[in-house]
Amino acid sequence: SWILKSPSLGNTPATITVSINVTALPIGSYFDSIIVASTNATNSPKVVYVKLDMIPPPPTIQVIPGQLFFSAVVGGANPLPKDLIIKNIAGGSVLNWTLSKAQPWLSVAPMSGTDSNTVVASVDITGLGFGTYKDTIVVTDPAATNNPVKVPVFLQMGSNLPVIEVD
């Protein structure tokens, strides 16, 4: 029932269009044949063998949230770590992801995994001065439909200088 042919009957010469209906077919291999026969042909029937391989769809990366914000005061404590959730939203094939980042003040763990997982992102403000720092966590899987996915990371360092207030 998954092989569609048109026309099913006719005279020669003719072209038969063959298409496949994959609706509701689970992953796997399927085998069938198309028989072309005529009572007037000496080499009748002719058989055309058909094989269909239904493969799982490629993975699709989803990262929640789409960006991370940290803030701290120069000379103060490190901000609390944040969770980054990596998901395979396509199902089917396994998502084999790897992370990368550039800045030494940013840490992520684990650096790789499969399918859905939670990554912990943390920052170390030791030696950082006043200002805004930026990095990008890059989630990659060459087999994914949307490879790579980039997550911007922002660290805002506030001043530790005293504030003068006038009343």
Side-chain angles (χ1 to χ4, degrees):
S1 63
W2 53 272
I3 298 178
L4 308 173
K5 48 202 175 300
S6 177
S8 292
L9 299 171
N11 296 318
T12 59
T15 300
I16 300 171
T17 302
V18 177
S19 58
I20 305 297
N21 178 10
V22 296
T23 305
L25 284 180
I27 294 168
S29 294
Y30 298 85
F31 301 90
D32 205 341
S33 58
I34 299 171
I35 299 173
V36 180
S38 171
T39 55
N40 297 329
T42 59
N43 61 345
S44 180
K46 285 290 188 181
V47 179
V48 177
Y49 296 99
V50 180
K51 178 185 177 193
L52 171 65
D53 289 321
M54 291 293 294
I55 59 173
T60 299
I61 304 167
Q62 181 184 43
V63 182
I64 302 169
Q67 53 190 350
L68 294 175
F69 296 94
F70 294 92
S71 61
V73 175
V74 173
N78 287 331
L80 293 175
K82 297 186 183 276
D83 287 345
L84 194 63
I85 300 168
I86 299 172
K87 291 183 175 184
N88 177 7
I89 59 171
S93 296
V94 174
L95 175 66
N96 292 300
W97 54 266
T98 303
L99 302 181
S100 63
K101 50 93 181 169
Q103 299 300 319
W105 52 263
L106 176 63
S107 297
V108 289
M111 291 294 287
S112 63
T114 56
D115 282 331
S116 298
N117 208 334
T118 299
V119 171
V120 177
S122 57
V123 296
D124 181 0
I125 65 168
T126 304
L128 298 180
F130 173 77
T132 301
Y133 296 83
K134 299 175 186 172
D135 198 356
T136 303
I137 298 171
V138 181
V139 183
T140 59
D141 178 349
T145 59
N146 59 339
N147 181 62
V149 172
K150 297 179 179 181
V151 179
V153 179
F154 302 93
L155 169 59
Q156 181 64 51
M157 294 296 296
S159 174
N160 63 348
L161 297 174
V163 176
I164 300 173
E165 197 171 296
V166 178
D167 186 6

